[in-house]
Amino acid sequence: MLNIKPKITLVGAGPGDPDLLTLKAVKALAEANVVLYDALANEEILDYAPKNAVKIFVGKRIGNHTYTQDQINQLIVDNALTYGNAVRLKGGDPFIFGRGSEEIDFAESFGIETVVIPGISSVVAVPASLGISITKRGVSESFWAITGTTSSRELSADVALAAQSSATVVILMGMHKLPQIINLFQKENKGDLPVAIIQNGTTAEEKVGVGTVDSIEEVVKQQKLSSPAIIVLGEVVKESHKLKGFYEEFLSKEIAR
């Protein structure tokens, strides 16, 4: 029997467009004996793994958790011990709201070799793909990246703090908390602050809604926007040349009212 040396490589799959995968990630997938992949990782990326590699879906969607996080941690370890070279493929960057550090900590508690390959985070890549620069000289000096839903299923307390700042605010996993988010910004008298919501960013299924804090909920209803989506709040949204048409159309409707 062959002596199997377990190894776990945690790979960031990027924001959705398979072309935004890093070269290092492609090389890691090419050497995989087993790939455990998430719901937010584009399945086209699996083509970079050998045809005979075992591929296991361990994704989580709202209301449909195939596995708990503890079960995923155990699955990664079990498969590394069984097959040797295991790649854990996670959407975006695995250390930005991806619970990647928990998976690495669990694997290392078994003495298994681990490697982390960062991914292009949707926090910056999805707005950038629409011409939104989340920092811009003279407009925004910093940005907040916040999870809309914490492990206790509550809205992060950081959103209220972010609403008080002049920074760009990027919220992931926040669509189900949108009314609460809007309310916090309205309390800071920011009803006119530009907002963009980008669903399935950088993919062929991408949908975009643009408005202000006061109007964005109506835009979401009209355009039937839903998860997975990124919410961007800040003056930088209207600076985007790609969204200029959206904004002109939106403002003309507002004037018509």
Side-chain angles (χ1 to χ4, degrees), residues 88-119:
R88 172 69 170 115
L89 189 64
K90 297 177 78 71
D93 179 275
F95 278 8
I96 299 179
F97 309 130
R99 301 182 78 168
S101 57
E102 295 173 40
E103 296 176 7
I104 288 292
D105 289 347
F106 188 77
E108 289 184 344
S109 74
F110 289 83
I112 295 172
E113 180 191 352
T114 63
V115 175
V116 177
I117 298 176

Side-chain angles (χ1 to χ4, degrees), residues 40-101:
L40 291 177
N42 192 315
E43 289 194 23
E44 285 179 44
I45 290 169
L46 296 175
D47 292 342
Y48 290 110
K51 280 194 168 58
N52 61 349
V54 179
K55 297 165 185 90
I56 304 168
F57 175 71
V58 291
K60 294 197 287 268
R61 286 280 194 213
I62 290 170
N64 181 21
H65 286 203
T66 308
Y67 298 101
T68 66
Q69 187 61 50
D70 286 344
Q71 287 171 326
I72 291 170
N73 293 350
Q74 192 64 57
L75 267 171
I76 297 166
V77 166
D78 290 347
N79 279 280
L81 292 170
T82 303
Y83 297 106
N85 202 1
V87 166
R88 172 69 170 115
L89 189 64
K90 297 177 78 71
D93 179 275
F95 278 8
I96 299 179
F97 309 130
R99 301 182 78 168
S101 57

Side-chain angles (χ1 to χ4, degrees), residues 123-166:
V123 168
V124 291
V126 168
S129 70
L130 287 170
I132 301 171
S133 175
I134 57 176
T135 62
K136 186 172 181 179
R137 192 163 58 166
V139 182
S140 175
E141 296 169 0
S142 59
F143 66 90
W144 291 68
I146 308 173
T147 175
T149 308
T150 64
S151 56
S152 59
R153 315 309 297 165
E154 300 297 319
L155 180 67
S156 170
D158 285 345
V159 177
L161 296 172
Q164 295 169 30
S165 78
S166 60

Side-chain angles (χ1 to χ4, degrees), residues 167-178:
T168 305
V169 182
V170 183
I171 301 175
L172 278 65
M173 298 172 282
M175 288 300 282
H176 289 270
K177 298 285 194 296
L178 186 61

